[in-house]
Amino acid sequence: MVPWHLRRWAVAGIVAAAVGVFVLAIVPAGRAVQVVCSVLVLFGSLAFATATIAGIVRRELRKHVEIVNEAVERGVIEVLPPGRVADRLLERVYGESPFNREVTTALLGGEGRLLDGGDLTISEHTEIDFRLDSVDDRSYHLVMEQRYSFRNRIPTSTFVIFATSAPRLRDSIISGCRLPLFELWFVRDDTDEPRFEDSVEGMRESVRIGMQYADGRGRVHDVEARDPAPYLREVKLRDWGRYLDFFRTDGGESGAVLDRLDYMDSLRIFEVDLPALAEGDAAVTTILRLTVRSTTLQLVSDGFCYWQAPYPCFVESMRFDTTKLQLGDSPELYVNAKAFTISSPGSLDTWTSGASATDLTLRSWMLRGHGVALMWRPFKEA
């Protein structure tokens, strides 16, 4: 804790004092010698005492500075919105850039402009269930149930579903959506047999939404998963910019602009009125938990299916049921699950038989764009 220059002064003082005492003890007494030795002893003692006191004071000051710094940091964090704190940190680390906002949004789960974090969507307990049921040799139904428990109560009255067959939109919607609660359906369209519209209609009929919400008095209410069809409306083309910032004329904060007309046949947006879905007398003020179940039609030839985090999620576990998935003439199915864009211990080490359901324990944070892919292949004899 004592800096090197103070150590040198302390050592020099000890040496000088020791020399002075030694000379006085062994050299015959003389006035000049006594004066010189006395000066050495005095100088050495003062140097040692000064260096020692300075070292002690400096050590104590450092302790108090650390305490003050911690108090100041906590005070700043408490009085500034989370987004502003993250912006300043990224500017210091990465430098100033308009693209830092994307990192902030992905990390925080929202803009972070409210002091209490009320505009952040973070699921601190997430469970995902997959079930793959063969329809024919070419396609299968992916039945997915997602259960979210939010860290903060989400002050929203709508839930939005994006359905697209455009790979570019699939990769852009999660980062381009500024709504707190949404779901993304991706349908890999078949050029030989276009099926986007039929698939979306099938998914629309299959979706079930449940929730736990708090009313204006803070009382908690539970709504079992139910069909939202009576309370679901499709968003018109002219209103797409309200839901996805890259369809706005200014491109939003990212600056990117896409032409809505280019995606008329590959994107549909639906909005669910959550207060109407609750069908109760109590007003829906904030959302605590959300359950979304849906069925999508997918191609077996893809060889994989996946889940992507729409906002920061701490994923406890995922369950994959492939017992009803058939691959042509193959007598057995092998599966493997891997987390992508992150390093996670939650992955299967080897290909395992798909004859029984597979549980994958993740216990890992996933941000926007992170996810888990389930891959499959037919059994092959060694």
Side-chain angles (χ1 to χ4, degrees), residues 317-332:
S317 62
M318 301 187 74
R319 183 176 179 82
F320 304 100
D321 186 349
T322 56
T323 56
K324 296 182 180 179
L325 180 64
Q326 302 294 326
L327 297 184
D329 298 330
S330 176
E332 192 173 359

Side-chain angles (χ1 to χ4, degrees), residues 36 39 49 58-59 61 69 177-178 203-204 280 301 303 308 349 373 375 382:
V36 172
V39 170
R58 185 177 184 277
R59 182 185 63 188
L61 284 176
N69 284 341
C177 178
R178 293 295 180 259
M203 288 183 274
R204 181 176 177 176
S301 59
Q308 267 187 298
D349 294 332
M375 300 166 286

Side-chain angles (χ1 to χ4, degrees), residues 75-130:
V76 170
I77 291 175
E78 292 291 335
V79 300
L80 290 179
R84 189 171 177 183
V85 175
D87 286 342
R88 295 296 176 267
L89 177 61
L90 290 179
E91 286 179 6
R92 179 178 178 184
V93 176
Y94 295 145
E96 294 187 10
S97 170
F99 301 105
N100 288 350
R101 169 52 50 179
E102 293 297 322
V103 180
T104 299
T105 303
L107 180 63
L108 298 180
E111 299 294 332
R113 295 182 176 178
L114 298 181
L115 184 60
D116 62 354
D119 58 342
L120 303 182
T121 306
I122 302 171
S123 175
E124 61 181 356
H125 186 95
T126 310
E127 295 179 330
I128 314 294
D129 292 346
F130 279 68

Side-chain angles (χ1 to χ4, degrees), residues 120 150 169 191 208 220 314:
L120 303 182
F150 299 111
L169 291 185
T191 55
R208 298 293 182 269
V220 177
F314 186 82

